[in-house]
Amino acid sequence: MAKYFLLTLWLLLSFTKLPAQSNEREYELPRRLMPLEKALIKLTEAGAALSYRPDQLPQLAVKVPGGKRTLPAWLDFLLKDTDLTYESGPAGIILFPDPELFKRNFSVYGLITDAESGERLIGAAIQSLGRPGGTLTNEYGFYSLSASGGRGKIRISYVGYQAKELDFVLRSDTLIDLSLLPDRELPTIIVTPLPEKETDVFLMETRNSVTSGETSRLGGIGGEADPLHVARLLPGVETGADGLGGIFIRGSEAGHNLVLLDGVPVYNLSHAAGLLSIFSNQAIRRVDIYKDGLPARFGGRIGGVIDVHTRDGNLYEPKTTVGSSLLSAHFATEGPIETGRSSYLITGRYFWAGELLRRFSEREKERLGRTGQMNSQIYDVNFKINQHIGERGRLYFSFYKGLDNYSNNSFASDTVTVLNDAGAVFRYATPRARQEEVSWGNTVAALRYNHIFNDRFFGNFRLSYSDLLLDASSERSDSLNRVFVDDKGGDIFSGRYASDIQQVGVAFDGQLSVGQQSSFRFGSEFNLHRFLPQLRSGSIPLANHPEFSSLREDGYIRPLQISAYSSFQGGLSKGIYYRLGLRGQLWRNEVNFFNLAPRLLLAGKLGQRSSWRLSYDHTVQPVHLVSSTVIGLPSDLWVPSTPEIAPSTSSQIAAQVSRKIGDNWNLVAAAYYKDMKGLIAYSEGGLASQWIDSLSQGAGFSRGVELSLNKTRGRLKGWVNYTLAQSRRQFDQKINIGRPFSFRFGRQHALKTVLMWEAKPGLTLTANWRISSGAAYSLSSESLLLPDPAVFDEPTSIETIALVKDKNGITLPSNHRLDFNAHFVLKGKPGSNVTHELDLGIYNVYSRHNPIYYNIQTTYFGRDSDLISQGDFIQVYLSPVVPTLAYHLKFGK
């Protein structure tokens, strides 16, 4: 009775009342699109007894099919997308908000895509306005957001796109696929995630992202835009001089990074020894870099993670791009196979600058008193197709192939002057030669299928293949000949190196939403490896080397790797969020290595404008990259963990505090400490005939502080980063007599500045300047002459031994460079589908000669059997000031 009394009182005060009637009577509505309120008015005008409050009706247009229906049938149809229900009373049928609806939780889920191309948007933010909760799309654009029933609103945003707000009513789990339009203004920089005011959705995000748009505006050497050039401008990410040598994340080796191309591991990410990466900007959607807070789905390496996502191809319109820089020619074509359902993408690059390099190297060597040349032939291709399978599934196939052929030959003569007892002077022309030939290439393929099982469960299946084939040879003959025996022969060091590593794998990754702020991610991987590391070195001509020798008589080593992982993300009281992860790995290679790698991430807010984050990451690496040269050539070998070599491990603790300054600035301070064990390196004193006998094992650590100030919005954008870091290594007695030494690329200080100014629509000016401490280096200005033990019966045979007091005991000069670039976008005539893009710039504006390494050019003088050497240091650097130029012609809407 109390219920009806309250309803009657409410109706007397607020409602329009009409006479009650039978629910069997039919009412007619016209066939048209009309507001909900108008449809209800027409029913009341037809005699239906309806009572409602107009201010509780949603602003909703209903497509009425027309015809006659009973009043309950019409109300079921009209109110199905609202939070209203109805009930019969003394005064007729009463419409009111469903109180039971607000007590239940439902899920809004679906895909977020680019409205123009159909590309799925990775990391798009979905925020529940007016209610707690928010989420980000995963690597395939999928999201699942839990919310209470009834009327609500969500906001969908993504950097470089126009945000969208959507009103909806949840009466059940609802699939909502949404698309965003690109923002034609200069996109927001996203190398540091920027928390929004409305949600804490970004607090658990630990990746830094680089998009193809940012990359194209910053340009690169020769005009070659490379996403990893931008990644090297992040704090805590270092490289060799002018990019040579790889990427080093927080004091780890280049081989410690997990590099993924569409989820498949890549074992070499460099063209031209690191000058360029294998990732063409025409094919890349975005690159995500993780330095800490590693999700449990990433494993197998102890450094950072470089997760590269290629574009899917336009689902609606065909597009073609052709162009060239001063280094390479490239093309890209994409378009629909079946409009809206399937698409393709094909890109290719050929580095035609190899001929220019050959001519330039000939002149440069001639200037230095040498003869010879340097050659480099490089190409890569990307191919991708994707196909919708039903309404909830999607199938992808992606393929990459790249190849480098490099050679460097140099010949010169030194002079040996001998004064005999009679005072006669004899001068001998003594040949000195260096020859290197290296060929390496990657092949990567992936077949992936992802499926939305229901409102909370998303799964991805992957079949993958990765192959790296390296073949290298090197020969160096010193200028010290046995002048007292004859004028032939000399001291020679030569070697052959080869590595063939293949990985075939199958994997599953699942994502389950279990609440408003909670999600569960889990998966497993099964990988078969095949290694063929080969090494042969000695003091004989290259042509005289015997066949390769390897660890096994049959040559190949075939380890098995099985991994499983899970992580749970949720929230605690007082606005603290957490992610707990655990990854287990079994590595089988004659013996079993089983490791557990726990991960922990905590994050929260400090007031309205600040946030904090703490993380712990334990990682395990069962494969090792060993290198004996400063630029990664020619003796890089990937070798597996064996009964003699355990997997490497790392534990890292990191903390970060960020603060939003105004609406456009973000300040981030971070600190970390990383402890590494089971590191592998070549022993000192020459290479043995078996590769496993040439290795030493050790440990190391790295620690540092990173500061970053970012301006993320406005016509002028950019960032300033500073890093203070230290990284040390200690190996067995075979390296530096067991004493600790500095990591070669553990730069103590690094300052990086990037400015990006939108001068006007279609013109963006950028400048980036970086300065860092020089690399640690092992260099000797002295040498010791000893009898050659290989030919000890010849007392006049002599071997030259360099004297190095401490490994990496000196620091090269500081490394700094300034680059400018102007990026023009010129539209064709009205109605034309042609766009011109032009990049003009200057690389190394003030012609800084950053030393990659030093050679010692030696001249020998002698009196009888006493020889004296004089060494001159020759600096090897990449390039003086050079112009940059790139042009792209794009066809398509």
Side-chain angles (χ1 to χ4, degrees):
M1 291 298 296
K3 173 182 176 182
Y4 284 109
F5 174 80
L6 291 175
L7 285 175
T8 303
L9 180 60
W10 183 36
L11 294 173
L12 288 173
L13 295 174
S14 308
F15 285 80
T16 304
K17 307 183 191 60
L18 296 173
Q21 59 193 25
S22 171
N23 287 336
E24 299 301 322
R25 178 183 170 183
E26 291 187 339
Y27 299 86
E28 185 175 4
L29 289 177
R31 181 179 180 181
R32 69 178 63 168
L33 182 68
M34 65 180 73
L36 173 62
E37 185 175 7
K38 186 173 182 179
L40 295 177
I41 290 174
K42 284 188 172 295
L43 289 174
T44 58
E45 290 175 348
L50 294 177
S51 300
Y52 57 87
R53 284 180 53 176
D55 62 322
Q56 291 184 336
L57 299 180
Q59 301 298 314
L60 177 67
V62 183
K63 188 175 181 180
V64 180
K68 292 184 178 182
R69 299 186 185 186
T70 62
L71 185 57
W74 274 123
L75 292 178
D76 289 339
F77 174 79
L78 295 174
L79 303 181
K80 65 179 180 179
D81 294 326
T82 73
D83 60 344
L84 300 176
T85 186
Y86 62 90
E87 185 174 301
S88 297
I93 293 180
I94 306 167
L95 278 60
F96 57 94
D98 188 350
E100 297 298 322
L101 197 59
F102 299 99
K103 300 177 183 178
R104 300 175 58 190
N105 283 331
F106 301 102
S107 293
V108 183
Y109 66 102
L111 301 172
I112 308 297
T113 59
D114 183 310
E116 294 185 353
S117 67
E119 294 268 357
R120 298 191 181 188
L121 301 183
I122 305 168
I126 299 90
Q127 307 164 30
S128 181
L129 301 183
R131 304 180 186 180
T135 189
L136 300 174
T137 56
N138 67 7
E139 307 89 86
Y140 296 93
F142 172 78
Y143 76 95
S144 178
L145 179 66
S146 180
S148 58
R151 197 179 307 179
K153 176 183 287 189
I154 57 174
R155 184 177 186 268
I156 306 95
S157 60
Y158 188 71
V159 176
Y161 287 76
Q162 299 176 22
K164 177 183 289 186
E165 293 186 359
L166 177 69
D167 292 298
F168 62 92
V169 174
L170 282 184
R171 302 183 66 89
S172 62
D173 296 329
T174 305
L175 173 65
I176 304 179
D177 291 335
L178 296 164
S179 59
L180 301 180
L181 285 169
D183 193 338
R184 298 308 178 190
E185 297 180 358
L186 187 66
T188 300
I189 292 176
I190 59 172
V191 292
T192 299
L194 185 67
E196 299 288 344
K197 295 179 180 179
E198 298 87 352
T199 182
D200 299 335
V201 64
F202 287 104
L203 291 177
M204 303 296 289
E205 195 57 45
T206 59
R207 61 190 169 194
N208 300 124
S209 299
V210 176
T211 68
S212 60
E214 294 163 359
T215 302
S216 63
R217 287 169 171 82
L218 283 170
I221 183 170
E224 196 68 24
D226 190 330
L228 293 193
H229 284 176
V230 185
R232 291 168 181 150
L233 296 170
L234 298 174
V237 180
E238 298 300 332
T239 185
D242 295 325
L244 297 181
I247 289 182
F248 310 94
I249 299 178
R250 288 186 171 175
S252 297
E253 307 276 357
H256 292 165
N257 298 324
L258 176 62
V259 182
L260 300 173
L261 181 61
D262 284 338
V264 183
V266 177
Y267 287 89
N268 189 305
L269 55 74
S270 298
H271 283 311
L275 180 63
L276 302 165
S277 79
I278 64 173
F279 307 122
S280 168
N281 200 46
Q282 304 292 325
I284 299 305
R285 180 71 177 177
R286 64 186 271 165
V287 178
D288 295 328
I289 298 98
Y290 296 83
K291 298 180 293 183
D292 58 35
L294 305 181
R297 66 181 183 274
F298 296 130
R301 301 292 188 274
I302 63 172
V305 177
I306 303 174
D307 193 13
V308 181
H309 307 273
T310 60
R311 297 192 297 115
D312 296 337
N314 198 301
L315 282 168
Y316 305 111
E317 298 287 344
K319 293 186 176 183
T320 300
T321 301
V322 294
S324 179
S325 68
L326 293 179
L327 298 180
S328 71
H330 27 78
F331 79 93
T333 181
E334 61 182 303
I337 301 174
E338 179 185 355
T339 302
R341 301 287 298 175
S342 59
S343 65
Y344 68 89
L345 172 70
I346 304 173
T347 71
R349 290 188 296 177
Y350 176 74
F351 290 79
W352 55 266
E355 179 64 21
L356 296 179
L357 176 64
R358 183 185 65 80
R359 296 180 181 180
F360 173 80
S361 64
E362 287 178 345
R363 292 195 298 268
E364 185 67 12
K365 290 177 186 295
E366 183 179 354
R367 184 182 69 83
L368 296 174
R370 309 170 190 168
T371 60
Q373 60 183 224
M374 184 183 297
N375 286 307
S376 182
Q377 299 293 325
I378 305 171
Y379 78 86
D380 58 38
V381 294
N382 286 273
F383 173 71
K384 189 174 185 178
I385 59 174
N386 79 92
Q387 172 71 55
H388 283 273
I389 307 296
E391 295 302 319
R392 293 174 175 259
R394 201 164 186 176
L395 184 69
Y396 298 86
F397 175 74
S398 54
F399 175 82
Y400 168 84
K401 176 71 175 179
L403 182 67
D404 280 62
N405 282 314
Y406 166 84
S407 65
N408 184 15
N409 303 309
S410 181
F411 306 91
S413 294
D414 288 332
T415 300
V416 174
T417 303
V418 177
L419 180 67
N420 65 13
D421 293 336
V425 177
F426 296 90
R427 290 182 174 86
Y428 295 85
T430 60
R432 173 164 46 91
R434 179 166 184 158
Q435 303 176 63
E436 294 176 346
E437 292 186 4
V438 188
S439 174
W440 73 94
N442 289 286
T443 303
V444 179
L447 181 66
R448 296 170 294 159
Y449 173 72
N450 58 65
H451 187 79
I452 303 174
F453 290 94
N454 55 43
D455 59 302
R456 297 177 181 269
F457 185 31
F458 176 91
N460 182 69
F461 303 85
R462 184 183 73 243
L463 180 64
S464 62
Y465 172 84
S466 181
D467 176 80
L468 170 64
L469 182 61
L470 166 70
D471 187 8
S473 62
S474 174
E475 180 175 319
R476 184 184 71 249
S477 61
D478 295 335
S479 61
L480 180 59
N481 285 270
R482 299 165 188 150
V483 296
F484 301 104
V485 178
D486 52 47
D487 58 355
K488 299 179 182 179
D491 292 330
I492 294 176
F493 179 82
S494 62
R496 290 186 183 276
Y497 315 89
S499 178
D500 182 11
I501 176 171
Q502 295 183 6
Q503 177 178 332
V504 179
V506 61
F508 170 75
D509 178 64
Q511 184 173 335
L512 179 66
S513 176
V514 294
Q516 287 189 355
Q517 300 176 352
S518 302
S519 62
F520 183 58
R521 190 152 186 173
F522 59 95
S524 60
E525 300 179 27
F526 181 91
N527 291 294
L528 289 173
H529 296 266
R530 191 186 76 174
F531 290 84
L532 184 59
Q534 298 176 312
L535 182 152
R536 171 66 68 181
S537 63
S539 298
I540 57 176
L542 193 62
N544 296 342
H545 274 292
E547 294 295 324
F548 275 130
S549 177
S550 62
L551 184 64
R552 301 290 180 267
E553 291 183 358
D554 61 357
Y556 289 109
I557 308 170
R558 303 177 187 273
L560 169 66
Q561 182 181 17
I562 302 175
S563 305
Y565 60 89
S566 64
S567 66
F568 184 81
Q569 180 172 313
L572 302 173
S573 59
K574 299 182 180 179
I576 297 177
Y577 301 87
Y578 66 90
R579 185 173 69 212
L580 295 172
L582 182 65
R583 184 180 182 91
Q585 176 180 274
L586 173 66
W587 179 266
R588 171 68 179 172
N589 185 19
E590 293 191 10
V591 297
N592 293 331
F593 293 103
F594 179 74
N595 302 91
L596 290 175
R599 316 277 174 86
L600 172 64
L601 178 65
L602 296 172
K605 300 195 74 173
L606 297 171
Q608 293 297 316
R609 308 187 69 83
S610 300
S611 62
W612 60 271
R613 190 176 78 206
L614 296 172
S615 65
Y616 170 79
D617 300 299
H618 184 75
T619 50
V620 181
Q621 179 165 339
V623 296
H624 312 274
L625 177 64
V626 287
S627 174
S628 68
T629 59
V630 295
I631 60 172
L633 294 176
S635 54
D636 284 3
L637 288 180
W638 282 97
V639 298
S641 291
T642 67
E644 298 85 0
I645 304 173
S648 303
T649 62
S650 170
S651 296
Q652 179 181 227
I653 299 174
Q656 177 178 298
V657 177
S658 64
R659 180 169 179 80
K660 213 175 169 186
I661 305 173
D663 294 329
N664 301 327
W665 295 83
N666 200 37
L667 178 64
V668 180
Y672 66 91
Y673 179 85
K674 179 186 293 186
D675 183 64
M676 296 168 281
K677 293 182 173 61
L679 302 182
I680 301 298
Y682 279 127
S683 303
E684 295 174 339
L687 301 176
S689 58
Q690 298 276 7
W691 64 264
I692 196 169
D693 298 327
S694 301
L695 302 182
S696 292
Q697 301 183 43
F701 74 88
S702 62
R703 58 190 175 190
V705 176
E706 301 166 357
L707 299 175
S708 181
L709 179 64
N710 306 279
K711 188 175 187 297
T712 57
R713 296 185 176 91
R715 293 180 61 189
L716 179 64
K717 304 180 180 70
W719 65 88
V720 179
N721 298 326
Y722 170 72
T723 302
L724 174 65
Q726 182 188 33
S727 185
R728 303 277 288 176
R729 301 286 190 270
Q730 185 173 15
F731 284 80
D732 54 31
Q733 291 293 318
K734 297 179 182 179
I735 297 182
N736 204 40
I737 324 178
R739 296 174 301 180
F741 59 91
S742 296
F743 173 52
R744 173 165 169 73
F745 296 105
R747 304 186 188 276
Q748 184 176 7
H749 302 279
L751 178 67
K752 306 169 187 178
T753 303
V754 175
L755 296 177
M756 185 181 298
W757 180 46
E758 187 181 17
K760 62 179 182 179
L763 173 59
T764 305
L765 303 177
T766 62
N768 67 85
W769 181 74
R770 77 290 303 273
I771 181 171
S772 62
S773 304
Y777 198 62
S778 300
L779 189 63
S780 173
S781 60
E782 299 181 86
S783 59
L784 177 66
L785 303 182
L786 297 175
D788 189 342
V791 284
F792 193 77
D793 57 332
E794 300 182 31
T796 55
S797 178
I798 297 174
E799 181 183 21
T800 303
I801 303 295
L803 298 180
V804 178
K805 182 178 181 181
D806 291 300
K807 183 176 179 63
N808 294 342
I810 68 168
T811 302
L812 296 181
S814 60
N815 188 312
H816 52 89
R817 194 183 75 236
L818 173 65
D819 302 330
F820 285 143
N821 190 65
H823 181 74
F824 299 86
V825 179
L826 306 174
K827 300 291 184 180
K829 297 180 180 180
S832 171
N833 291 331
V834 176
T835 303
H836 308 267
E837 289 192 4
L838 178 66
D839 285 274
L840 296 172
I842 303 175
Y843 177 87
N844 198 5
V845 172
Y846 49 84
S847 195
R848 168 67 175 178
H849 294 177
N850 291 311
I852 302 172
Y853 61 93
Y854 285 88
N855 272 332
I856 302 179
Q857 181 173 313
T858 308
T859 303
Y860 294 94
F861 301 88
R863 179 182 178 88
D864 291 339
S865 60
D866 297 324
L867 293 180
I868 301 173
S869 64
Q870 175 180 312
D872 297 319
F873 294 119
I874 304 299
Q875 179 183 348
V876 178
Y877 62 93
L878 177 62
S879 172
V881 57
V882 292
T884 62
L885 171 65
Y887 171 72
H888 296 90
L889 182 62
K890 297 185 176 183
F891 303 91
K893 294 183 179 179

